Amino acid sequence: MDAGAPSNARKNAEAVLASPTMRFNIAGLAALTEYLTEQMANSDAYSLENNVAILKIYTLYPHIADPTVIQKILVQCLTQLPANDFNICIAQVPLPTQEHPVIAQVVSLHNMLQNCLFHKFWDAARKTMADNSNVTFLEVPGLTDSVRRFVLDVVPLVYLQMSVPELRSMLNFEKNCEEFEQLLTSCRWTLEGYSRDNQSSGTCVPATRDEVLKQHKTQDKEPGVEKYFKLDTMKVLWRSGATISLKRSMLSDLEGGTSESPMSSRSPSLEEASLSLLSFSRADPIGCVSLKDTAHAGRW
């Protein structure tokens, strides 16, 4: 079989998904779960449609729901960060089922990432999964790389730069290495005063905000209706951060004081800033202003 040709498991799953009579039938569950197993071994085989179909069958027939399979599906969602796949899938799982220890373990990992508790996440993700394969969460193909890129997207929301040892720890690298350097380069970070042999020196600087905004505008021009159905998590965080800055400046003006940049006096911890941003994104997901407007106003 050609390397680029779809596997038999994928063909069988696609046949089930294409059939209205089989898509929500227990008889098609075996083919869907078989392809889920293939996804766990190959990061390029990910299929949200396949995994949601499994969860919908479990919703229709709760007596056959397998917590281990649900755990695999949610772990696959983490490999797609910052896409909103996790929320799409967890919404298909009843609340009592979410409390099952096997499923709650993955929900906890997701919550750690959303709250920027990155060190705790890496420690918790070293535990083995519940499928008796002795595979840890970090050994799932694509998971580590996805989380690292998510970290590099979130950190610039709070810090203009960060020391190499601190960022390296957040990315779960034990020491300076070529993989660490290539990851930063691919995410448009630059290294200043860096030496691979010196583990304690150097500074990591993310891309400028103008470059990030330009990249987001380019992504917004992509055609298709899919973008209206999937929430861009990072965009919500960016716009919420701008809203926070604007509201702070407005309160300061009303009180007759002067407005300072939120980074000028004290740099909040990453956890504090994340919680603030997430709370604003839930309360006001649309946002009042864009980052560009806030930057021109000198409030960022």
Side-chain angles (χ1 to χ4, degrees):
M1 185 176 64
D2 296 337
S7 63
N8 291 332
R10 180 173 181 175
K11 291 179 180 179
N12 295 336
E14 290 177 347
V16 171
L17 295 173
S19 172
T21 59
M22 291 291 292
R23 188 182 183 97
F24 304 112
N25 196 309
I26 295 180
L29 184 61
L32 298 176
T33 53
E34 182 182 0
Y35 188 55
L36 173 62
T37 302
E38 182 174 319
Q39 295 177 53
M40 294 297 294
N42 181 7
S43 59
D44 295 330
Y46 177 77
S47 172
L48 177 62
E49 184 181 13
N50 180 91
N51 299 342
V52 170
I54 295 175
L55 296 176
K56 287 188 178 296
I57 292 177
Y58 285 166
T59 302
L60 295 173
Y61 309 97
H63 62 283
I64 65 171
D66 187 347
T68 302
V69 173
I70 298 176
Q71 184 189 67
K72 291 180 180 180
I73 292 175
L74 296 179
V75 169
Q76 282 297 303
C77 293
L78 294 181
T79 67
Q80 303 302 308
L81 289 172
N84 204 34
D85 294 21
F86 189 93
N87 290 338
I88 293 174
C89 288
I90 198 64
Q92 311 296 325
V93 182
L95 290 177
T97 306
Q98 293 182 26
E99 297 176 357
H100 191 284
V102 171
I103 300 173
Q105 190 176 15
V106 189
V107 175
S108 177
L109 291 176
H110 177 261
N111 291 340
M112 291 177 189
L113 291 175
Q114 293 300 308
N115 292 323
C116 296
L117 302 175
F118 301 130
H119 294 94
K120 289 186 177 180
F121 169 84
W122 295 118
D123 291 338
R126 292 186 176 92
K127 298 179 181 179
T128 57
M129 298 183 62
D131 56 357
N132 297 322
S133 61
N134 292 325
V135 174
T136 66
F137 291 99
L138 292 181
E139 293 174 338
V140 175
L143 179 62
T144 298
D145 184 63
S146 174
V147 173
R148 283 172 173 168
R149 292 180 180 275
F150 177 75
V151 172
L152 292 177
D153 280 341
V154 172
V155 169
L157 298 176
V158 181
Y159 296 101
L160 297 177
Q161 63 183 23
M162 183 171 286
S163 67
V164 168
E166 190 173 5
L167 184 61
R168 189 180 63 225
S169 176
M170 284 188 176
L171 298 176
N172 196 38
F173 284 105
E174 294 183 358
K175 59 181 180 179
N176 296 342
C177 59
E178 183 178 359
E179 183 182 2
F180 171 68
E181 299 163 6
Q182 291 178 348
L183 176 63
L184 293 185
T185 301
S186 65
C187 293
R188 304 169 69 185
W189 283 62
T190 56
L191 291 167
E192 298 179 353
Y194 170 82
S195 173
R196 188 181 298 181
D197 297 330
N198 190 339
Q199 304 296 324
S200 59
S201 67
T203 303
C204 305
V205 182
T208 63
R209 295 190 184 92
D210 290 339
E211 292 177 351
V212 174
L213 287 173
K214 184 177 180 181
Q215 180 181 4
H216 281 296
K217 287 182 178 180
T218 303
Q219 294 174 352
D220 288 342
K221 294 179 181 179
E222 294 180 358
V225 299
E226 289 80 9
K227 64 180 181 179
Y228 298 108
F229 297 97
K230 294 189 71 175
L231 177 65
D232 188 337
T233 308
M234 296 311 304
K235 185 180 296 183
V236 170
L237 291 176
W238 277 105
R239 299 185 71 178
S240 301
T243 305
I244 293 173
S245 297
L246 180 63
K247 290 181 178 179
R248 284 180 176 175
S249 64
M250 292 173 63
L251 289 174
S252 178
D253 292 340
L254 289 174
E255 295 172 356
T258 59
S259 175
E260 295 183 354
S261 169
M263 295 183 185
S264 60
S265 58
R266 181 184 72 88
S267 295
S269 68
L270 198 57
E271 291 82 2
E272 292 174 345
S274 170
L275 290 173
S276 299
L277 290 172
L278 290 175
S279 63
F280 269 92
S281 67
R282 293 191 181 103
D284 185 14
I286 302 301
C288 298
V289 294
S290 66
L291 269 180
K292 182 178 180 181
D293 296 333
T294 309
H296 287 327
R299 300 299 190 184
W300 184 257

